[in-house]
Amino acid sequence: MNARRPLVIGNWKMNLDFVEALHLVQQLGVLLKNRPVEHTDVVVAAPFVDLRSVSSIIDSERFAIALGAQHVNSQENGPHTGEISTSMLKRLNVEWVLVGHSERRVHYFMSDEIVAETLRSVVRVGQHAVLCVGEELSIRESDQHEAFVAAQLKSALRGLDEKFHALVTVAYEPLWAIGTGVNATSAQVSEMTALLRTVLRSLSFTSPQVLYGGSVNAENAALLVRESDVDGFLVGGASLKAESFYAILQACDDCYAIKR
Ligand code: PEP
């Protein structure tokens, strides 16, 4: 990692009811108050039904944690039964939104077009979009991963006005590493983050922010952050325990402090 300010996002997925969510954010907030991570930005992406309670506690306790959502509908408010809009999220102080997580793409048929529309609707209201890209194992095994991920990235950014570039973060999340316990190696992460940065620069992004996600945990975070050129992590399973998530934050923070 170079000396860009790290960002770590916890993706709680469909875990934690609002009571459990409050408990976790309270524990994490206290850890951060006792031993602040000075150089690292921290975000938790909570389930929709937890957002209000988590937002209230972050606000009242002044925790150094920003709030994220895991998905949003690309349309404005209206006849979309069961969906949530960007303006609803904004009212709850949501500053970050995951866009095109592979679980949305694969299990809920989120097409590249919808990913691009969603990304545009998120940044248009001033929220940060965390665009997730990554290949399946079969694509990597046939050595198509670079072409596939570059195409996914370009497609998601189609039609995006340059003035919104600063609100876009890209997370490289190979599907074979998500929730499997098998993380990409530092070399694999470096290869893909370099590719993503090259594509982003070719699209006039001046300082691309690129995260890695896929079985990051308290044990492998320090090595990954030290040996690869990532700006931080998107963390699933290991974000569900305050201590393991905090250890990842600390690994990023220590690395930044050393390299600065
Ligand atoms: C994720 O779902 O974004 C993720 C990275 O999950 P995990 O850390 O559990 O692999």
Side-chain angles (χ1 to χ4, degrees), residues 9 11 13 98 101-103 132 171-174 177-182 212-217 233-239:
I9 303 175
N11 174 14
K13 309 197 187 194
L98 306 186
H101 190 282
S102 60
E103 288 157 13
C132 303
Y172 169 58
E173 294 215 305
I178 296 182
T180 59
V182 179
Y212 165 72
S215 296
V216 175
N217 57 37
F233 299 119
L234 178 53
V235 183
S239 70

PDB file of all heavy atoms in Angstrom, residues 9 11 13 98 101-103 132 171-174 177-182 212-217 233-239, ligand 1:
ATOM      1  N   ILE A   9     -14.347  -0.944   4.921  1.00  0.00           N
ATOM      2  CA  ILE A   9     -15.819  -0.996   4.980  1.00  0.00           C
ATOM      3  C   ILE A   9     -16.241  -2.381   5.446  1.00  0.00           C
ATOM      4  O   ILE A   9     -15.818  -3.394   4.886  1.00  0.00           O
ATOM      5  CB  ILE A   9     -16.420  -0.725   3.582  1.00  0.00           C
ATOM      6  CG1 ILE A   9     -15.931   0.623   3.046  1.00  0.00           C
ATOM      7  CG2 ILE A   9     -17.948  -0.773   3.636  1.00  0.00           C
ATOM      8  CD1 ILE A   9     -16.369   0.920   1.620  1.00  0.00           C
ATOM      9  N   ASN A  11     -19.099  -5.026   5.544  1.00  0.00           N
ATOM     10  CA  ASN A  11     -20.370  -5.366   4.889  1.00  0.00           C
ATOM     11  C   ASN A  11     -21.040  -6.448   5.733  1.00  0.00           C
ATOM     12  O   ASN A  11     -20.631  -7.598   5.712  1.00  0.00           O
ATOM     13  CB  ASN A  11     -20.078  -5.880   3.466  1.00  0.00           C
ATOM     14  CG  ASN A  11     -21.336  -6.396   2.782  1.00  0.00           C
ATOM     15  OD1 ASN A  11     -22.453  -6.152   3.241  1.00  0.00           O
ATOM     16  ND2 ASN A  11     -21.155  -7.112   1.675  1.00  0.00           N
ATOM     17  N   LYS A  13     -23.891  -7.684   5.406  1.00  0.00           N
ATOM     18  CA  LYS A  13     -24.795  -8.534   4.607  1.00  0.00           C
ATOM     19  C   LYS A  13     -26.142  -8.715   5.330  1.00  0.00           C
ATOM     20  O   LYS A  13     -26.577  -7.818   6.039  1.00  0.00           O
ATOM     21  CB  LYS A  13     -24.134  -9.880   4.303  1.00  0.00           C
ATOM     22  CG  LYS A  13     -22.738  -9.733   3.720  1.00  0.00           C
ATOM     23  CD  LYS A  13     -22.262 -10.993   3.067  1.00  0.00           C
ATOM     24  CE  LYS A  13     -20.808 -10.825   2.663  1.00  0.00           C
ATOM     25  NZ  LYS A  13     -20.349 -11.843   1.749  1.00  0.00           N
ATOM     26  N   LEU A  98     -22.869   0.445  -1.317  1.00  0.00           N
ATOM     27  CA  LEU A  98     -22.251  -0.587  -2.157  1.00  0.00           C
ATOM     28  C   LEU A  98     -23.081  -0.705  -3.432  1.00  0.00           C
ATOM     29  O   LEU A  98     -24.317  -0.737  -3.371  1.00  0.00           O
ATOM     30  CB  LEU A  98     -22.239  -1.949  -1.451  1.00  0.00           C
ATOM     31  CG  LEU A  98     -21.620  -2.033  -0.050  1.00  0.00           C
ATOM     32  CD1 LEU A  98     -21.571  -3.499   0.408  1.00  0.00           C
ATOM     33  CD2 LEU A  98     -20.234  -1.420  -0.007  1.00  0.00           C
ATOM     34  N   HIS A 101     -22.586  -5.372  -5.745  1.00  0.00           N
ATOM     35  CA  HIS A 101     -21.924  -6.491  -5.044  1.00  0.00           C
ATOM     36  C   HIS A 101     -22.245  -7.783  -5.797  1.00  0.00           C
ATOM     37  O   HIS A 101     -23.355  -7.939  -6.322  1.00  0.00           O
ATOM     38  CB  HIS A 101     -22.431  -6.564  -3.599  1.00  0.00           C
ATOM     39  CG  HIS A 101     -21.643  -7.520  -2.758  1.00  0.00           C
ATOM     40  ND1 HIS A 101     -21.826  -8.873  -2.832  1.00  0.00           N
ATOM     41  CD2 HIS A 101     -20.649  -7.316  -1.861  1.00  0.00           C
ATOM     42  CE1 HIS A 101     -20.976  -9.467  -2.004  1.00  0.00           C
ATOM     43  NE2 HIS A 101     -20.246  -8.547  -1.404  1.00  0.00           N
ATOM     44  N   SER A 102     -21.303  -8.704  -5.821  1.00  0.00           N
ATOM     45  CA  SER A 102     -21.516  -9.914  -6.628  1.00  0.00           C
ATOM     46  C   SER A 102     -22.743 -10.700  -6.171  1.00  0.00           C
ATOM     47  O   SER A 102     -23.398 -11.353  -6.984  1.00  0.00           O
ATOM     48  CB  SER A 102     -20.279 -10.805  -6.584  1.00  0.00           C
ATOM     49  OG  SER A 102     -20.012 -11.197  -5.267  1.00  0.00           O
ATOM     50  N   GLU A 103     -23.080 -10.600  -4.878  1.00  0.00           N
ATOM     51  CA  GLU A 103     -24.279 -11.323  -4.425  1.00  0.00           C
ATOM     52  C   GLU A 103     -25.541 -10.704  -5.030  1.00  0.00           C
ATOM     53  O   GLU A 103     -26.524 -11.405  -5.273  1.00  0.00           O
ATOM     54  CB  GLU A 103     -24.322 -11.346  -2.889  1.00  0.00           C
ATOM     55  CG  GLU A 103     -23.256 -12.296  -2.335  1.00  0.00           C
ATOM     56  CD  GLU A 103     -22.817 -12.034  -0.912  1.00  0.00           C
ATOM     57  OE1 GLU A 103     -23.486 -11.262  -0.203  1.00  0.00           O
ATOM     58  OE2 GLU A 103     -21.778 -12.600  -0.513  1.00  0.00           O
ATOM     59  N   CYS A 132     -18.462  -2.637  -6.862  1.00  0.00           N
ATOM     60  CA  CYS A 132     -17.801  -3.938  -6.692  1.00  0.00           C
ATOM     61  C   CYS A 132     -17.652  -4.619  -8.045  1.00  0.00           C
ATOM     62  O   CYS A 132     -18.618  -4.727  -8.812  1.00  0.00           O
ATOM     63  CB  CYS A 132     -18.636  -4.831  -5.771  1.00  0.00           C
ATOM     64  SG  CYS A 132     -18.943  -4.094  -4.156  1.00  0.00           S
ATOM     65  N   ALA A 171     -14.072  -1.596  -5.557  1.00  0.00           N
ATOM     66  CA  ALA A 171     -13.630  -2.732  -4.741  1.00  0.00           C
ATOM     67  C   ALA A 171     -13.442  -3.938  -5.655  1.00  0.00           C
ATOM     68  O   ALA A 171     -14.400  -4.379  -6.307  1.00  0.00           O
ATOM     69  CB  ALA A 171     -14.660  -3.039  -3.659  1.00  0.00           C
ATOM     70  N   TYR A 172     -12.201  -4.445  -5.685  1.00  0.00           N
ATOM     71  CA  TYR A 172     -11.946  -5.678  -6.438  1.00  0.00           C
ATOM     72  C   TYR A 172     -12.295  -6.850  -5.527  1.00  0.00           C
ATOM     73  O   TYR A 172     -11.658  -7.049  -4.485  1.00  0.00           O
ATOM     74  CB  TYR A 172     -10.484  -5.756  -6.884  1.00  0.00           C
ATOM     75  CG  TYR A 172     -10.144  -7.131  -7.430  1.00  0.00           C
ATOM     76  CD1 TYR A 172     -10.852  -7.655  -8.521  1.00  0.00           C
ATOM     77  CD2 TYR A 172      -9.158  -7.921  -6.844  1.00  0.00           C
ATOM     78  CE1 TYR A 172     -10.587  -8.924  -9.006  1.00  0.00           C
ATOM     79  CE2 TYR A 172      -8.880  -9.196  -7.332  1.00  0.00           C
ATOM     80  CZ  TYR A 172      -9.598  -9.691  -8.405  1.00  0.00           C
ATOM     81  OH  TYR A 172      -9.341 -10.961  -8.877  1.00  0.00           O
ATOM     82  N   GLU A 173     -13.322  -7.590  -5.921  1.00  0.00           N
ATOM     83  CA  GLU A 173     -13.800  -8.700  -5.097  1.00  0.00           C
ATOM     84  C   GLU A 173     -13.981  -9.950  -5.959  1.00  0.00           C
ATOM     85  O   GLU A 173     -15.077 -10.178  -6.504  1.00  0.00           O
ATOM     86  CB  GLU A 173     -15.147  -8.335  -4.483  1.00  0.00           C
ATOM     87  CG  GLU A 173     -15.092  -7.198  -3.493  1.00  0.00           C
ATOM     88  CD  GLU A 173     -16.084  -7.428  -2.365  1.00  0.00           C
ATOM     89  OE1 GLU A 173     -17.276  -7.630  -2.634  1.00  0.00           O
ATOM     90  OE2 GLU A 173     -15.651  -7.457  -1.210  1.00  0.00           O
ATOM     91  N   PRO A 174     -12.923 -10.754  -6.099  1.00  0.00           N
ATOM     92  CA  PRO A 174     -13.094 -11.983  -6.884  1.00  0.00           C
ATOM     93  C   PRO A 174     -14.094 -12.906  -6.201  1.00  0.00           C
ATOM     94  O   PRO A 174     -14.031 -13.109  -4.983  1.00  0.00           O
ATOM     95  CB  PRO A 174     -11.687 -12.583  -6.897  1.00  0.00           C
ATOM     96  CG  PRO A 174     -10.970 -11.969  -5.743  1.00  0.00           C
ATOM     97  CD  PRO A 174     -11.597 -10.634  -5.490  1.00  0.00           C
ATOM     98  N   ALA A 177     -13.150 -15.683  -3.838  1.00  0.00           N
ATOM     99  CA  ALA A 177     -12.553 -15.357  -2.525  1.00  0.00           C
ATOM    100  C   ALA A 177     -13.608 -14.900  -1.519  1.00  0.00           C
ATOM    101  O   ALA A 177     -13.327 -14.814  -0.325  1.00  0.00           O
ATOM    102  CB  ALA A 177     -11.496 -14.273  -2.703  1.00  0.00           C
ATOM    103  N   ILE A 178     -14.810 -14.611  -1.995  1.00  0.00           N
ATOM    104  CA  ILE A 178     -15.826 -14.063  -1.082  1.00  0.00           C
ATOM    105  C   ILE A 178     -16.447 -15.168  -0.235  1.00  0.00           C
ATOM    106  O   ILE A 178     -17.049 -16.105  -0.773  1.00  0.00           O
ATOM    107  CB  ILE A 178     -16.917 -13.304  -1.861  1.00  0.00           C
ATOM    108  CG1 ILE A 178     -16.300 -12.093  -2.549  1.00  0.00           C
ATOM    109  CG2 ILE A 178     -18.049 -12.881  -0.930  1.00  0.00           C
ATOM    110  CD1 ILE A 178     -17.288 -11.245  -3.308  1.00  0.00           C
ATOM    111  N   GLY A 179     -16.254 -15.052   1.058  1.00  0.00           N
ATOM    112  CA  GLY A 179     -16.867 -15.991   1.997  1.00  0.00           C
ATOM    113  C   GLY A 179     -16.316 -17.404   1.916  1.00  0.00           C
ATOM    114  O   GLY A 179     -16.906 -18.334   2.470  1.00  0.00           O
ATOM    115  N   THR A 180     -15.195 -17.594   1.247  1.00  0.00           N
ATOM    116  CA  THR A 180     -14.662 -18.954   1.059  1.00  0.00           C
ATOM    117  C   THR A 180     -13.526 -19.276   2.017  1.00  0.00           C
ATOM    118  O   THR A 180     -13.132 -20.429   2.145  1.00  0.00           O
ATOM    119  CB  THR A 180     -14.101 -19.123  -0.368  1.00  0.00           C
ATOM    120  OG1 THR A 180     -13.064 -18.142  -0.569  1.00  0.00           O
ATOM    121  CG2 THR A 180     -15.186 -18.933  -1.415  1.00  0.00           C
ATOM    122  N   GLY A 181     -12.951 -18.246   2.627  1.00  0.00           N
ATOM    123  CA  GLY A 181     -11.765 -18.467   3.462  1.00  0.00           C
ATOM    124  C   GLY A 181     -10.489 -18.505   2.641  1.00  0.00           C
ATOM    125  O   GLY A 181      -9.395 -18.667   3.178  1.00  0.00           O
ATOM    126  N   VAL A 182     -10.620 -18.368   1.313  1.00  0.00           N
ATOM    127  CA  VAL A 182      -9.439 -18.352   0.438  1.00  0.00           C
ATOM    128  C   VAL A 182      -9.286 -16.941  -0.116  1.00  0.00           C
ATOM    129  O   VAL A 182     -10.018 -16.547  -1.024  1.00  0.00           O
ATOM    130  CB  VAL A 182      -9.610 -19.332  -0.749  1.00  0.00           C
ATOM    131  CG1 VAL A 182      -8.382 -19.302  -1.668  1.00  0.00           C
ATOM    132  CG2 VAL A 182      -9.873 -20.734  -0.238  1.00  0.00           C
ATOM    133  N   TYR A 212      -9.695  -3.983  -1.785  1.00  0.00           N
ATOM    134  CA  TYR A 212      -9.802  -5.423  -2.062  1.00  0.00           C
ATOM    135  C   TYR A 212     -10.798  -6.019  -1.072  1.00  0.00           C
ATOM    136  O   TYR A 212     -10.828  -5.638   0.114  1.00  0.00           O
ATOM    137  CB  TYR A 212      -8.431  -6.122  -1.898  1.00  0.00           C
ATOM    138  CG  TYR A 212      -8.604  -7.624  -1.820  1.00  0.00           C
ATOM    139  CD1 TYR A 212      -8.955  -8.351  -2.967  1.00  0.00           C
ATOM    140  CD2 TYR A 212      -8.507  -8.306  -0.601  1.00  0.00           C
ATOM    141  CE1 TYR A 212      -9.188  -9.716  -2.892  1.00  0.00           C
ATOM    142  CE2 TYR A 212      -8.731  -9.677  -0.526  1.00  0.00           C
ATOM    143  CZ  TYR A 212      -9.069 -10.370  -1.676  1.00  0.00           C
ATOM    144  OH  TYR A 212      -9.320 -11.718  -1.609  1.00  0.00           O
ATOM    145  N   GLY A 213     -11.576  -6.991  -1.551  1.00  0.00           N
ATOM    146  CA  GLY A 213     -12.467  -7.728  -0.654  1.00  0.00           C
ATOM    147  C   GLY A 213     -12.478  -9.192  -1.028  1.00  0.00           C
ATOM    148  O   GLY A 213     -12.431  -9.549  -2.219  1.00  0.00           O
ATOM    149  N   GLY A 214     -12.528 -10.059  -0.026  1.00  0.00           N
ATOM    150  CA  GLY A 214     -12.574 -11.507  -0.250  1.00  0.00           C
ATOM    151  C   GLY A 214     -11.780 -12.221   0.819  1.00  0.00           C
ATOM    152  O   GLY A 214     -10.556 -12.317   0.725  1.00  0.00           O
ATOM    153  N   SER A 215     -12.501 -12.651   1.877  1.00  0.00           N
ATOM    154  CA  SER A 215     -11.891 -13.410   2.981  1.00  0.00           C
ATOM    155  C   SER A 215     -10.745 -12.668   3.667  1.00  0.00           C
ATOM    156  O   SER A 215      -9.780 -13.282   4.117  1.00  0.00           O
ATOM    157  CB  SER A 215     -11.425 -14.789   2.491  1.00  0.00           C
ATOM    158  OG  SER A 215     -12.540 -15.554   2.078  1.00  0.00           O
ATOM    159  N   VAL A 216     -10.889 -11.347   3.762  1.00  0.00           N
ATOM    160  CA  VAL A 216      -9.924 -10.584   4.571  1.00  0.00           C
ATOM    161  C   VAL A 216     -10.267 -10.811   6.037  1.00  0.00           C
ATOM    162  O   VAL A 216     -11.440 -10.793   6.424  1.00  0.00           O
ATOM    163  CB  VAL A 216      -9.989  -9.072   4.241  1.00  0.00           C
ATOM    164  CG1 VAL A 216      -9.067  -8.276   5.160  1.00  0.00           C
ATOM    165  CG2 VAL A 216      -9.639  -8.837   2.781  1.00  0.00           C
ATOM    166  N   ASN A 217      -9.247 -11.041   6.851  1.00  0.00           N
ATOM    167  CA  ASN A 217      -9.501 -11.247   8.275  1.00  0.00           C
ATOM    168  C   ASN A 217      -8.362 -10.661   9.104  1.00  0.00           C
ATOM    169  O   ASN A 217      -7.405 -10.097   8.552  1.00  0.00           O
ATOM    170  CB  ASN A 217      -9.729 -12.744   8.591  1.00  0.00           C
ATOM    171  CG  ASN A 217      -8.551 -13.600   8.146  1.00  0.00           C
ATOM    172  OD1 ASN A 217      -7.402 -13.180   8.260  1.00  0.00           O
ATOM    173  ND2 ASN A 217      -8.836 -14.790   7.638  1.00  0.00           N
ATOM    174  N   PHE A 233      -9.898  -2.183   2.516  1.00  0.00           N
ATOM    175  CA  PHE A 233     -10.612  -3.456   2.325  1.00  0.00           C
ATOM    176  C   PHE A 233     -12.130  -3.288   2.430  1.00  0.00           C
ATOM    177  O   PHE A 233     -12.629  -2.434   3.163  1.00  0.00           O
ATOM    178  CB  PHE A 233     -10.189  -4.452   3.402  1.00  0.00           C
ATOM    179  CG  PHE A 233      -8.726  -4.800   3.388  1.00  0.00           C
ATOM    180  CD1 PHE A 233      -7.921  -4.522   4.487  1.00  0.00           C
ATOM    181  CD2 PHE A 233      -8.156  -5.406   2.277  1.00  0.00           C
ATOM    182  CE1 PHE A 233      -6.568  -4.844   4.478  1.00  0.00           C
ATOM    183  CE2 PHE A 233      -6.802  -5.737   2.262  1.00  0.00           C
ATOM    184  CZ  PHE A 233      -6.010  -5.450   3.373  1.00  0.00           C
ATOM    185  N   LEU A 234     -12.806  -4.191   1.726  1.00  0.00           N
ATOM    186  CA  LEU A 234     -14.241  -4.415   1.949  1.00  0.00           C
ATOM    187  C   LEU A 234     -14.316  -5.774   2.632  1.00  0.00           C
ATOM    188  O   LEU A 234     -13.834  -6.771   2.094  1.00  0.00           O
ATOM    189  CB  LEU A 234     -14.987  -4.399   0.610  1.00  0.00           C
ATOM    190  CG  LEU A 234     -16.487  -4.669   0.610  1.00  0.00           C
ATOM    191  CD1 LEU A 234     -17.230  -3.769   1.584  1.00  0.00           C
ATOM    192  CD2 LEU A 234     -17.061  -4.454  -0.800  1.00  0.00           C
ATOM    193  N   VAL A 235     -14.904  -5.798   3.830  1.00  0.00           N
ATOM    194  CA  VAL A 235     -14.807  -6.976   4.688  1.00  0.00           C
ATOM    195  C   VAL A 235     -16.199  -7.510   5.006  1.00  0.00           C
ATOM    196  O   VAL A 235     -17.050  -6.756   5.490  1.00  0.00           O
ATOM    197  CB  VAL A 235     -14.109  -6.594   6.022  1.00  0.00           C
ATOM    198  CG1 VAL A 235     -13.924  -7.823   6.898  1.00  0.00           C
ATOM    199  CG2 VAL A 235     -12.778  -5.901   5.773  1.00  0.00           C
ATOM    200  N   GLY A 236     -16.425  -8.784   4.747  1.00  0.00           N
ATOM    201  CA  GLY A 236     -17.709  -9.396   5.080  1.00  0.00           C
ATOM    202  C   GLY A 236     -17.659 -10.052   6.451  1.00  0.00           C
ATOM    203  O   GLY A 236     -17.797  -9.393   7.489  1.00  0.00           O
ATOM    204  N   GLY A 237     -17.413 -11.366   6.456  1.00  0.00           N
ATOM    205  CA  GLY A 237     -17.480 -12.154   7.693  1.00  0.00           C
ATOM    206  C   GLY A 237     -16.733 -11.558   8.870  1.00  0.00           C
ATOM    207  O   GLY A 237     -17.257 -11.500   9.999  1.00  0.00           O
ATOM    208  N   ALA A 238     -15.522 -11.087   8.644  1.00  0.00           N
ATOM    209  CA  ALA A 238     -14.696 -10.591   9.761  1.00  0.00           C
ATOM    210  C   ALA A 238     -15.163  -9.225  10.276  1.00  0.00           C
ATOM    211  O   ALA A 238     -14.617  -8.717  11.255  1.00  0.00           O
ATOM    212  CB  ALA A 238     -13.234 -10.527   9.332  1.00  0.00           C
ATOM    213  N   SER A 239     -16.184  -8.637   9.631  1.00  0.00           N
ATOM    214  CA  SER A 239     -16.699  -7.366  10.164  1.00  0.00           C
ATOM    215  C   SER A 239     -17.814  -7.596  11.184  1.00  0.00           C
ATOM    216  O   SER A 239     -18.334  -6.651  11.772  1.00  0.00           O
ATOM    217  CB  SER A 239     -17.211  -6.480   9.024  1.00  0.00           C
ATOM    218  OG  SER A 239     -18.394  -7.015   8.455  1.00  0.00           O
TER     219      SER A 239
HETATM  220  C1  PEP B   1     -17.974  -9.330   0.783  1.00  0.00           C
HETATM  221  O1  PEP B   1     -19.040  -9.913   0.792  1.00  0.00           O
HETATM  222  O2  PEP B   1     -17.899  -8.210   0.272  1.00  0.00           O
HETATM  223  C2  PEP B   1     -16.813  -9.994   1.361  1.00  0.00           C
HETATM  224  C3  PEP B   1     -15.636  -9.524   1.062  1.00  0.00           C
HETATM  225  O3  PEP B   1     -17.058 -11.068   2.175  1.00  0.00           O
HETATM  226  P1  PEP B   1     -15.977 -11.917   3.013  1.00  0.00           P
HETATM  227  O4  PEP B   1     -15.033 -10.931   3.654  1.00  0.00           O
HETATM  228  O5  PEP B   1     -16.772 -12.672   4.004  1.00  0.00           O
HETATM  229  O6  PEP B   1     -15.260 -12.787   2.032  1.00  0.00           O
END
